[in-house]
Amino acid sequence: MTSTAELQTTDAIVLDEQAQDLLFREARTANAFTDEPVTDEQLAAIFELVKWAPTSMNTQPLRVVVVRSAEAKQRLLPHMAEGNRAKTEAAPATALLAADIDFHDELPRVFPPFPGARDMFADDEEARVRTAELNTGLQVGYAIVGIRAAGLAAGPMTGFDADAISREFFPDGRHRVLVAINMGKPAENAWHDRLPRLDFDEVVTAI
Amino acid sequence: MTSTAELQTTDAIVLDEQAQDLLFREARTANAFTDEPVTDEQLAAIFELVKWAPTSMNTQPLRVVVVRSAEAKQRLLPHMAEGNRAKTEAAPATALLAADIDFHDELPRVFPPFPGARDMFADDEEARVRTAELNTGLQVGYAIVGIRAAGLAAGPMTGFDADAISREFFPDGRHRVLVAINMGKPAENAWHDRLPRLDFDEVVTAI
């Protein structure tokens, strides 16, 4: 039985039902994947879609290393939490999503409305870290939606040695890996039980 | 003329074209809105859609105050950066998106697979802040997509006195406002020129 409240809220969404299911309602965090590779075309398509989503001052601090080869996987696995190791080894691709602390070097090109933006950040590493990490967080959210838009399942993880992975895959020392995401076609039984969500009234207050 | 590369990447997305346009390609950060109100039903519908998107350990640290009344707007405006003040005053709703540093109190209910999760965070405020801010960042990204899914435009902002707004609207001292988002139907001429995005090769490396 559908309650009146559900009908009303569904009516307020203009995104079609199939898209709602693909991106949110039916999408689930996957813990097992088929052997089907994640292709260069899929990676590029996901990027070309989600690149349009906003970041503050168009900073776009997200940088990504996608680990697909067996050699690269072996460099990654020792730094994953034990519970994330087997599924990361088996996933066709694992994306390492990092914040570029030196994103400000691109601002003259990507944020022409404020020519002083680069210099404002140049002497304030604390502000750069804060801005880079916040906006990379937004971009991780967009990336998860984008992976699902490509018909793939995402398995985002934060259980790993972030310092070690940042050093190993971003050796310039100017990047911080925040989230790793296993990607691919979900295998059968790829899901745990869905976990409970907070209620609207616990999260949102309108005044 | 459409290049071969564009055709290939478009084929890799299974989300329908209309949804791609609504959420990403045609969606733009709005700086002006019509008078049409943002309703309780729209707020609930956006929440009920994006609540399904993942957070680490199902932490769901995002808490939101939606400012709609003239009285509440007057409490908000003095703390906005001057360049954000007029458009925030004129927007039918401004959502204040905060990280709940005490999200761990809900973990026994929302993350039953690991009964020790709450205690693990209880004595480590630094880990709570880090986890709350990262996952709130993801949830801000989901919220922007959700606002667009409701046929509304979003105008996200970080130009404000975050400490002052956190104190004013989350007086328990356990929340940090990270992003404010003006919401509503876009007015004519609501947009600045679209800003350049980084190229795929600058952001993503596959190994």
Side-chain angles (χ1 to χ4, degrees), chain B residues 112-134:
Chain B
F114 176 27
R118 186 196 172 284
D119 292 347
M120 186 186 77
F121 280 112
D123 296 328
D124 191 346
E125 175 144 339
E126 192 188 320
R128 289 213 302 283
V129 169
R130 197 170 55 241
T131 300
E133 294 196 345
L134 172 63

Side-chain angles (χ1 to χ4, degrees), chain A residues 9 14-16 45 47 51-52 58 60 64-66 68-69 109 149 195-198 200 202-203 205 207, chain B residues 9 14-16 45 47 51-52 58 60 64-66 68-69 109 149 195-198 200 202-203 205 207:
Chain A
T9 59
V14 306
L15 181 70
D16 63 90
F47 174 83
K51 74 178 184 183
W52 297 118
N58 202 31
Q60 309 171 66
V64 185
V65 169
V66 181
R68 290 187 298 194
S69 71
R109 176 164 56 110
L195 293 166
R197 296 303 193 262
L198 298 175
F200 177 72
E202 296 177 286
V203 176
T205 309
I207 59 175
Chain B
T9 58
V14 306
L15 181 71
D16 61 272
F47 174 82
K51 73 177 184 183
W52 297 118
N58 201 32
Q60 309 171 65
V64 185
V65 168
V66 181
R68 290 187 298 194
S69 71
R109 178 166 52 113
L195 293 167
R197 296 302 193 263
L198 298 175
F200 177 72
E202 296 177 285
V203 176
T205 307
I207 60 176

Side-chain angles (χ1 to χ4, degrees), chain A residues 28-29 31 87 191-197, chain B residues 55-60 106-118 120:
Chain A
R28 301 285 306 282
T29 289
N31 294 291
K87 62 185 175 186
W191 333 109
H192 298 307
D193 287 343
R194 188 150 224 172
L195 293 166
R197 296 303 193 262
Chain B
T55 53
S56 60
M57 292 176 69
N58 201 32
T59 42
Q60 309 171 65
E106 315 305 328
L107 288 179
R109 178 166 52 113
V110 296
F111 201 62
F114 176 27
R118 186 196 172 284
M120 186 186 77

